[in-house]
Amino acid sequence: MSLEQQLAKVEDVADKTFDFVIIGGGLAGCVLAARLSENPEVSVAVLEAGKSHINDPLVSIPDGWMRQAFNPEYDWLFRTKPQSRVQNGITTPDAKPNPSFYWSRGKGLGGSSNINFLFWTRPSREEVDAVEKLGNPGWNWQRFFKAAKRCETLVETPVSNDPDYLDLFHADSVGHPVSLSMTQALAAYGIPVIDDALGGNLSGTFKCPNNIDTRTGTRSTAATSYLYPALARPNLSVLTDAYVTRILTSKEEDQAVAKAVEFKHGGGTYAVKVGREAILSSSTVKSPHILELSGIGNHEILERLGIPVVADLPGVGENLQDHLILANPTWALKPEKGIVTSDTIGQPEIAEKLKALYGDDNGGPLYFALSGCTFIPIQTFSDRADELIAAFEKKLLEKADRLPVGLKEQYELQLKMLKDKNVPDIEIVVFPINMQPGSFDTPFVGLLPSIGHPISRGSIHAVSKDPEVQPEIDPNYIEEDLDLELLVDALKFVRKVASEDAWKAITSGELLPGPDVATDDQIRENVKQNVSTTWHACGTCSMMPREKGGVVDPHLKVYGTKNIRVADLSTWPLLSAVHTQALVYGIAEIAADVIKADNGI
């Protein structure tokens, strides 16, 4: 029986009772479905709004994400509220600036593990321990690391197209260095190459692993790695094209109890009954949206929309955080160096070079895996680090009595990490991909700085009780001055790095933003016009005490409910500097442990 034939039909799910109903077959949902269905006595249903994408080349080919983006069959195509302070300068369908940011999210089994840039990075020890300090006993680095390791299998890359582009790794946790030119340029500023970037120390430069199965040259997703091997289990039913509209509840002892999950499929509306728990794994955008549609959220918002209040929980949809990246610093590459980029990969001489290295079989898609990562603290990249830290600390003290207690504690932890020279505050992404074909006559590469721990906070809320109407996403980008100033100083720093001989040996000059952008005011304006999301938003169902604005407790149970949990990136209350894929796998693995323990299975 094929994998497609092993998927459920609507009649297999509608009006049936399952112990666990998982809302969303994305990254976390796939992990939970596989882990919970390991027990044959437990029944599990997964409702996924997108298609299966089984054996779909746009998903399986590692660089297929470039053709998935902005395609509604693969991409949710969320849009933010127009931002008043910044414009999305590059990641738009027409590559023209727009104050409304496109938030691409993977739609279908595997979710955003189908569409991301393949980076595999884990948070630093301090970042995970900060989550525990916010009132979440047990959510510390030691536990997270142990759980997160369960999803990894190391397959070393057999060859590199640069003999000095070495693969270094630590046997227990795995890590790699960055390309030689960038490494040498960064060394002038004391930035070390680290061989264990997944082991809790993130500060430095390294070549990160990618979620690619090098045996087949295909992308490894949560669906291929977790869900597909479990599909044949008789206790697991996975229904695609099932758009969840709300959780149906009753009241027991002042708590909301999930009785069923309502969904649309093929033009009809159905419900699947909940035996034990309903588990939201629907993303930072959709998990709070579905909670609000179900009557769980801020009563003022719900009443305004005509949604009956089931549980008054003001934290739903709040505490939104996202990485903001400066998307335009680019340098022209010297053509004679033969460096592989999205512009050069089709050139015959490059193809011959790659063929000589990799042969005719696999490897073609591997040429284009992004791997250069650099994470550095403010003390390394900013000449005014002490000044910026002092300004943030002063502002925090001045408004401390006006801040919600949970946000105040978050800011205090962020201040502590900002002062810690071992905790990185920005990432510099080496980006050899031309998002605007035809924009330049020469191949180029970007050195793109991204804010690691944004101070600005936003929100996501329903604007209609019609479940087909997407919620309003307001990331509130650079509301706080520090976020803007970090990107200003980061651009100055990457220009310093680019002036080093090692970088100049492979490049022929800065293309963007160019010499006309020189003063601080010009740099600030350039930042405001040329930023992008990195699609790492978190926090809208934050795991914190209820009185501090939390939505779920340390067991991921939604406050005011008896049997509703959230298990995805929306629960992470304080954004880590890393690409969030491996973080979500770790959250899902811990969630599976917690759910099994709480239910005695």
Side-chain angles (χ1 to χ4, degrees):
M1 184 181 295
S2 69
L3 289 173
E4 199 73 50
Q5 291 172 322
Q6 292 172 4
L7 294 173
K9 297 179 175 58
V10 68
E11 56 266 25
D12 300 324
V13 173
D15 295 322
K16 303 293 194 301
T17 300
F18 292 84
D19 290 314
F20 299 98
V21 178
I22 299 171
I23 303 168
L27 195 162
C30 286
V31 174
L32 287 168
R35 291 303 189 201
L36 295 178
S37 64
E38 286 172 340
N39 186 330
E41 303 302 317
V42 171
S43 58
V44 179
V46 178
L47 302 175
E48 166 55 39
K51 299 184 182 301
S52 68
H53 300 311
I54 292 172
N55 297 323
D56 188 328
L58 291 194
V59 173
S60 60
I61 297 173
D63 64 356
W65 60 266
M66 289 187 280
R67 285 166 286 171
Q68 291 185 61
F70 308 126
N71 182 336
E73 184 173 324
Y74 301 88
D75 184 350
W76 277 94
L77 283 172
F78 295 122
R79 295 288 299 276
T80 74
K81 176 182 178 180
Q83 298 295 287
S84 61
R85 305 173 189 88
V86 293
Q87 288 202 86
N88 186 1
I90 186 169
T91 48
T92 57
D94 58 6
K96 294 180 180 179
N98 196 313
S100 176
F101 286 61
Y102 283 80
W103 274 20
S104 293
R105 292 293 187 278
K107 189 176 184 181
L109 295 178
S112 291
S113 68
N114 298 345
I115 198 174
N116 61 30
F117 287 179
L118 301 162
F119 286 107
W120 191 264
T121 51
R122 222 176 347 251
S124 67
R125 181 183 302 273
E126 293 85 354
E127 290 172 324
V128 180
D129 286 344
V131 171
E132 183 174 47
K133 292 173 183 175
L134 285 172
N136 301 300
W139 283 84
N140 52 47
W141 168 257
Q142 184 175 7
R143 181 192 189 193
F144 174 82
F145 179 70
K146 183 179 179 180
K149 284 293 297 175
R150 293 204 296 259
C151 65
E152 292 180 351
T153 300
L154 171 64
V155 182
E156 295 182 52
T157 305
V159 67
S160 168
N161 62 4
D162 185 330
D164 293 310
Y165 194 30
L166 304 175
D167 284 345
L168 304 179
F169 64 91
H170 188 283
D172 291 333
S173 50
V174 185
H176 300 265
V178 75
S179 62
L180 185 62
S181 297
M182 184 65 170
T183 300
Q184 291 176 338
L186 290 167
Y189 299 92
I191 297 172
V193 173
I194 51 178
D195 67 352
D196 191 16
L198 299 182
N201 171 33
L202 192 64
S203 191
T205 182
F206 57 96
K207 178 186 174 188
C208 77
N210 300 111
N211 53 297
I212 296 175
D213 187 338
T214 56
R215 297 164 295 187
T216 60
T218 58
R219 176 187 288 264
S220 180
T221 73
T224 60
S225 301
Y226 278 87
L227 190 65
Y228 294 169
L231 275 181
R233 295 173 184 168
N235 61 330
L236 174 62
S237 297
V238 178
L239 182 66
T240 57
D241 292 302
Y243 186 96
V244 170
T245 56
R246 57 178 175 157
I247 301 170
L248 304 176
T249 62
S250 65
K251 255 315 182 36
E252 294 180 11
E253 299 177 351
D254 294 326
Q255 286 189 310
V257 179
K259 294 296 186 179
V261 175
E262 184 182 84
F263 64 95
K264 293 184 177 181
H265 179 89
T269 300
Y270 305 89
V272 55
K273 298 176 183 177
V274 176
R276 297 194 188 198
E277 296 186 6
I279 305 168
L280 274 163
S281 295
S282 305
S283 83
T284 295
V285 177
K286 289 297 290 182
S287 286
H289 187 214
I290 293 171
L291 283 177
E292 288 184 332
L293 293 172
S294 307
I296 301 169
N298 187 322
H299 73 94
E300 294 180 357
I301 293 173
L302 302 181
E303 290 166 355
R304 186 166 62 246
L305 298 177
I307 299 173
V309 178
V310 170
D312 185 13
L313 195 55
V316 172
E318 296 295 320
N319 200 37
L320 175 64
Q321 301 152 61
D322 187 30
H323 289 152
L324 198 64
I325 189 168
L326 179 56
N328 75 331
T330 55
W331 279 259
L333 290 164
K334 293 179 178 178
E336 66 271 19
K337 293 297 181 179
I339 295 173
V340 181
T341 72
S342 62
D343 294 300
T344 66
I345 195 168
Q347 296 175 0
E349 61 271 25
I350 296 292
E352 285 299 316
K353 180 180 178 180
L354 294 173
K355 181 178 178 181
L357 286 166
Y358 291 97
D360 293 320
D361 299 326
N362 299 319
L366 305 185
Y367 311 147
F368 221 46
L370 302 176
S371 60
C373 284
T374 301
F375 291 89
I376 52 178
I378 188 173
Q379 293 84 357
T380 296
F381 71 85
S382 176
D383 293 333
R384 51 189 182 132
D386 291 342
E387 175 188 337
L388 292 176
I389 293 171
F392 175 51
E393 186 168 22
K394 180 182 178 183
K395 189 172 183 179
L396 179 58
L397 288 171
E398 289 174 347
K399 63 180 183 179
D401 58 345
R402 303 190 304 275
L403 288 172
V405 61
L407 182 57
K408 178 175 177 288
E409 289 187 11
Q410 290 179 49
Y411 281 166
E412 288 170 346
L413 288 166
Q414 287 186 259
L415 176 62
K416 182 179 180 181
M417 288 190 286
L418 198 63
K419 291 179 177 180
D420 191 335
K421 297 179 181 180
N422 294 317
V423 179
D425 300 299
I426 67 161
E427 178 190 8
I428 301 172
V429 180
V430 180
F431 200 69
I433 295 173
N434 186 351
M435 300 289 285
Q436 303 178 40
S439 52
F440 292 108
D441 295 330
T442 181
F444 65 85
V445 63
L447 297 180
L448 313 182
S450 174
I451 302 170
H453 307 118
I455 306 302
S456 303
R457 295 293 192 273
S459 62
I460 296 178
H461 290 297
V463 293
S464 169
K465 63 180 179 181
D466 180 353
E468 302 277 1
V469 176
Q470 294 301 340
E472 181 180 79
I473 303 169
D474 185 6
N476 209 12
Y477 288 131
I478 66 169
E479 179 199 26
E480 295 292 337
D481 292 340
L482 180 57
D483 290 344
L484 175 60
E485 297 308 311
L486 288 174
L487 288 177
V488 168
D489 284 8
L491 175 55
K492 293 179 182 179
F493 180 76
V494 297
R495 281 175 157 174
K496 289 180 182 179
V497 173
S499 70
E500 295 296 320
D501 289 343
W503 187 253
K504 289 165 68 175
I506 63 168
T507 59
S508 56
E510 180 183 317
L511 294 172
L512 292 173
D516 292 339
V517 177
T519 68
D520 282 1
D521 286 343
Q522 289 169 335
I523 291 173
R524 286 189 186 93
E525 190 59 29
N526 174 74
V527 169
K528 292 177 182 179
Q529 299 300 317
N530 293 285
V531 289
S532 170
T533 175
T534 58
W535 307 280
H536 296 158
C538 76
T540 51
C541 295
S542 283
M543 177 172 49
M544 293 190 299
R546 186 174 187 172
E547 65 273 15
K548 296 180 180 180
V551 175
V552 299
D553 67 16
H555 288 240
L556 303 175
K557 188 79 66 69
V558 176
Y559 293 114
T561 77
K562 188 176 181 180
N563 64 339
I564 301 175
R565 295 188 208 246
V566 183
D568 57 27
L569 192 56
S570 72
T571 64
W572 206 245
L574 200 56
L575 187 57
S576 167
V578 295
H579 301 261
T580 51
Q581 176 178 207
L583 169 59
V584 180
Y585 277 104
I587 292 170
E589 285 282 7
I590 293 177
D593 291 343
V594 169
I595 294 168
K596 287 180 176 181
D598 286 356
N599 285 275
I601 59 174

